[in-house]
Amino acid sequence: MSALRPRRVAFFTIGQSPRSDVVPEMAPLLGEHVRIDEFGALDGLDAAGLAALAPRPGEYRFANGVGDGAQIELDAAAAEARLAQVMREADAAGYDVLVPLCTGTAIAPMRTLVVEPQQVVDHLVAGLAQHCRKVGLVVPLEAQVDAFHMAVPLECATSVVHASPYEADAGRAAERFTQAGQDLADCDFVVMHCMGYAERMRQAVAQASGRPVLLSNRLVAQALAQILE
């Protein structure tokens, strides 16, 4: 009997690949039989290419990490268009699943199965929120707080705070996650609404809030594990 074909998943980031902050958090949940390839919307772009994706005044923006560990902010619409281009190039390469590593991007239709993190996370949260008084959400940028919206509306109140997973100053980052947890202590549960948040960040918010805290990349990985089993 021949060996089963390894399952193949392609991860796409709106920043640069590889995502050493995200994929290692997810890979152990997928299993050794899954082959992972990574692609980035910013891969191969020079300074002029990056400048073309800079946020426009008043427009929604994304935060992402780049290869040197720094945080970069991108215009949401321009980043989504670039991401769609990169995903289309991989769409005919025989992958079992395509996964954009962002919980806030609009994804163009593909022939390959796409697991869209925002849809996975937001629909699960909406289901859990049916019997809640208030849900807390943590997003990377202060500018995202007022403009933040779920893919599906929640029936209960929400409280949105910011804490960047790409903050280079470890001390400042720890303070911000602690403050985020304290600000959300009156919520029924908290969602870390960015694929860049790591387990240590989730633990910091959980300890400070005393509330259950859900990590987006883990929710997506657990769904993927069953699809790729």
Side-chain angles (χ1 to χ4, degrees), residues 13-16 19 21 42 62-66 69-74 101-102 140-141 164 166 194:
T13 175
I14 59 171
Q16 292 176 339
R19 285 297 300 269
D21 57 331
L42 304 186
F62 296 135
N64 211 285
V66 292
Q71 174 175 293
I72 186 172
E73 295 186 13
L74 305 170
L101 295 174
C102 182
L141 299 175
S164 175
Y166 312 115
C194 172

Short mmCIF file of all heavy atoms in Angstrom, two decimals, residues 13-16 19 21 42 62-66 69-74 101-102 140-141 164 166 194:
data_model
loop_
_atom_site.label_atom_id
_atom_site.label_comp_id
_atom_site.label_asym_id
_atom_site.label_seq_id
_atom_site.Cartn_x
_atom_site.Cartn_y
_atom_site.Cartn_z
N THR A 13 0.78 36.05 4.37
CA THR A 13 0.78 37.19 5.27
C THR A 13 0.73 38.49 4.48
O THR A 13 1.25 38.55 3.36
CB THR A 13 2.03 37.19 6.18
OG1 THR A 13 2.05 38.38 6.97
CG2 THR A 13 3.31 37.12 5.37
N ILE A 14 0.10 39.52 5.04
CA ILE A 14 0.10 40.82 4.39
C ILE A 14 1.45 41.51 4.57
O ILE A 14 1.70 42.55 3.99
CB ILE A 14 -1.03 41.74 4.90
CG1 ILE A 14 -0.92 41.96 6.40
CG2 ILE A 14 -2.39 41.18 4.52
CD1 ILE A 14 -1.87 43.03 6.91
N GLY A 15 2.32 40.91 5.38
CA GLY A 15 3.68 41.41 5.56
C GLY A 15 4.67 40.57 4.77
O GLY A 15 4.41 40.18 3.64
N GLN A 16 5.82 40.30 5.39
CA GLN A 16 6.85 39.48 4.76
C GLN A 16 6.84 38.08 5.36
O GLN A 16 6.54 37.89 6.53
CB GLN A 16 8.23 40.12 4.97
CG GLN A 16 8.42 41.43 4.22
CD GLN A 16 9.77 42.07 4.52
OE1 GLN A 16 10.40 41.79 5.52
NE2 GLN A 16 10.20 42.95 3.61
N ARG A 19 6.53 33.97 8.62
CA ARG A 19 6.00 34.55 9.84
C ARG A 19 6.45 33.71 11.02
O ARG A 19 5.75 32.81 11.48
CB ARG A 19 4.47 34.63 9.78
CG ARG A 19 3.94 35.73 8.89
CD ARG A 19 4.33 37.13 9.38
NE ARG A 19 3.82 37.40 10.69
CZ ARG A 19 2.64 37.98 10.92
NH1 ARG A 19 1.86 38.32 9.92
NH2 ARG A 19 2.24 38.21 12.16
N ASP A 21 6.57 34.49 13.95
CA ASP A 21 5.79 34.77 15.15
C ASP A 21 4.45 34.04 15.14
O ASP A 21 3.83 33.88 16.18
CB ASP A 21 5.54 36.28 15.29
CG ASP A 21 4.82 36.88 14.07
OD1 ASP A 21 5.00 36.34 12.96
OD2 ASP A 21 4.12 37.88 14.23
N LEU A 42 4.43 41.34 0.89
CA LEU A 42 5.53 42.29 0.77
C LEU A 42 6.82 41.65 0.29
O LEU A 42 7.83 42.34 0.12
CB LEU A 42 5.79 42.98 2.12
CG LEU A 42 4.60 43.71 2.77
CD1 LEU A 42 5.06 44.45 4.01
CD2 LEU A 42 3.93 44.66 1.79
N PHE A 62 -3.61 48.37 8.37
CA PHE A 62 -3.21 47.14 9.04
C PHE A 62 -1.83 47.33 9.64
O PHE A 62 -1.02 48.12 9.14
CB PHE A 62 -3.12 45.97 8.04
CG PHE A 62 -4.42 45.57 7.41
CD1 PHE A 62 -4.50 45.31 6.05
CD2 PHE A 62 -5.57 45.43 8.18
CE1 PHE A 62 -5.70 44.93 5.47
CE2 PHE A 62 -6.77 45.05 7.60
CZ PHE A 62 -6.83 44.80 6.24
N ALA A 63 -1.56 46.57 10.71
CA ALA A 63 -0.21 46.50 11.27
C ALA A 63 0.34 45.12 10.99
O ALA A 63 -0.37 44.12 11.06
CB ALA A 63 -0.25 46.73 12.79
N ASN A 64 1.64 45.06 10.66
CA ASN A 64 2.27 43.77 10.41
C ASN A 64 3.74 43.88 10.72
O ASN A 64 4.32 44.97 10.78
CB ASN A 64 2.06 43.34 8.96
CG ASN A 64 1.98 41.83 8.82
OD1 ASN A 64 2.98 41.15 8.90
ND2 ASN A 64 0.77 41.32 8.63
N GLY A 65 4.37 42.71 10.91
CA GLY A 65 5.80 42.66 11.14
C GLY A 65 6.54 42.46 9.84
O GLY A 65 6.04 41.84 8.91
N VAL A 66 7.76 42.99 9.76
CA VAL A 66 8.62 42.76 8.60
C VAL A 66 9.85 42.00 9.05
O VAL A 66 10.03 41.72 10.24
CB VAL A 66 9.01 44.09 7.91
CG1 VAL A 66 7.79 44.71 7.25
CG2 VAL A 66 9.60 45.08 8.89
N GLY A 69 11.90 42.53 12.20
CA GLY A 69 11.19 42.54 13.47
C GLY A 69 10.45 43.82 13.76
O GLY A 69 9.75 43.94 14.76
N ALA A 70 10.56 44.81 12.86
CA ALA A 70 9.90 46.09 13.06
C ALA A 70 8.43 46.00 12.66
O ALA A 70 8.02 45.10 11.93
CB ALA A 70 10.59 47.18 12.24
N GLN A 71 7.65 46.96 13.15
CA GLN A 71 6.24 47.04 12.77
C GLN A 71 6.09 47.96 11.58
O GLN A 71 6.73 49.01 11.51
CB GLN A 71 5.40 47.56 13.94
CG GLN A 71 3.93 47.82 13.58
CD GLN A 71 3.10 48.21 14.78
OE1 GLN A 71 2.88 47.43 15.68
NE2 GLN A 71 2.62 49.46 14.78
N ILE A 72 5.25 47.55 10.62
CA ILE A 72 4.95 48.39 9.48
C ILE A 72 3.44 48.53 9.39
O ILE A 72 2.70 47.58 9.69
CB ILE A 72 5.53 47.79 8.17
CG1 ILE A 72 5.31 48.76 7.00
CG2 ILE A 72 4.93 46.42 7.86
CD1 ILE A 72 6.03 48.34 5.73
N GLU A 73 2.96 49.72 9.01
CA GLU A 73 1.54 49.96 8.82
C GLU A 73 1.26 50.07 7.33
O GLU A 73 2.00 50.71 6.59
CB GLU A 73 1.09 51.22 9.56
CG GLU A 73 1.23 51.09 11.07
CD GLU A 73 0.66 52.28 11.82
OE1 GLU A 73 -0.07 53.09 11.20
OE2 GLU A 73 0.93 52.40 13.03
N LEU A 74 0.16 49.43 6.89
CA LEU A 74 -0.18 49.35 5.48
C LEU A 74 -1.59 49.86 5.24
O LEU A 74 -2.47 49.68 6.07
CB LEU A 74 -0.10 47.89 5.00
CG LEU A 74 1.22 47.15 5.23
CD1 LEU A 74 1.04 45.67 4.93
CD2 LEU A 74 2.31 47.74 4.36
N LEU A 101 -3.06 34.90 6.75
CA LEU A 101 -2.78 35.03 8.18
C LEU A 101 -3.18 36.41 8.69
O LEU A 101 -2.36 37.15 9.23
CB LEU A 101 -1.30 34.75 8.45
CG LEU A 101 -0.84 33.32 8.16
CD1 LEU A 101 0.68 33.20 8.34
CD2 LEU A 101 -1.56 32.34 9.06
N CYS A 102 -4.44 36.74 8.52
CA CYS A 102 -4.95 38.03 9.00
C CYS A 102 -6.42 37.88 9.32
O CYS A 102 -7.15 37.17 8.61
CB CYS A 102 -4.75 39.11 7.93
SG CYS A 102 -5.29 40.75 8.46
N PRO A 140 -4.33 45.38 17.22
CA PRO A 140 -2.96 45.90 17.31
C PRO A 140 -2.82 47.41 17.44
O PRO A 140 -1.97 47.90 18.18
CB PRO A 140 -2.32 45.41 16.00
CG PRO A 140 -3.12 44.23 15.59
CD PRO A 140 -4.53 44.57 16.01
N LEU A 141 -3.62 48.19 16.70
CA LEU A 141 -3.38 49.63 16.58
C LEU A 141 -4.47 50.46 17.24
O LEU A 141 -5.65 50.12 17.17
CB LEU A 141 -3.30 50.04 15.10
CG LEU A 141 -2.19 49.40 14.27
CD1 LEU A 141 -2.34 49.83 12.81
CD2 LEU A 141 -0.82 49.77 14.81
N SER A 164 -0.14 46.13 20.54
CA SER A 164 0.51 45.62 19.34
C SER A 164 1.35 44.38 19.63
O SER A 164 2.15 44.37 20.56
CB SER A 164 1.41 46.69 18.72
OG SER A 164 2.12 46.14 17.62
N TYR A 166 3.66 43.57 17.70
CA TYR A 166 4.92 43.85 17.01
C TYR A 166 5.75 44.92 17.72
O TYR A 166 6.71 45.44 17.15
CB TYR A 166 4.63 44.29 15.57
CG TYR A 166 3.66 43.37 14.86
CD1 TYR A 166 2.41 43.82 14.46
CD2 TYR A 166 3.99 42.04 14.63
CE1 TYR A 166 1.51 42.97 13.83
CE2 TYR A 166 3.09 41.18 14.01
CZ TYR A 166 1.86 41.65 13.60
OH TYR A 166 0.97 40.81 12.99
N CYS A 194 -6.09 39.23 16.22
CA CYS A 194 -5.00 39.40 15.24
C CYS A 194 -4.22 38.10 15.23
O CYS A 194 -3.97 37.51 16.29
CB CYS A 194 -4.10 40.57 15.63
SG CYS A 194 -2.60 40.71 14.61
#
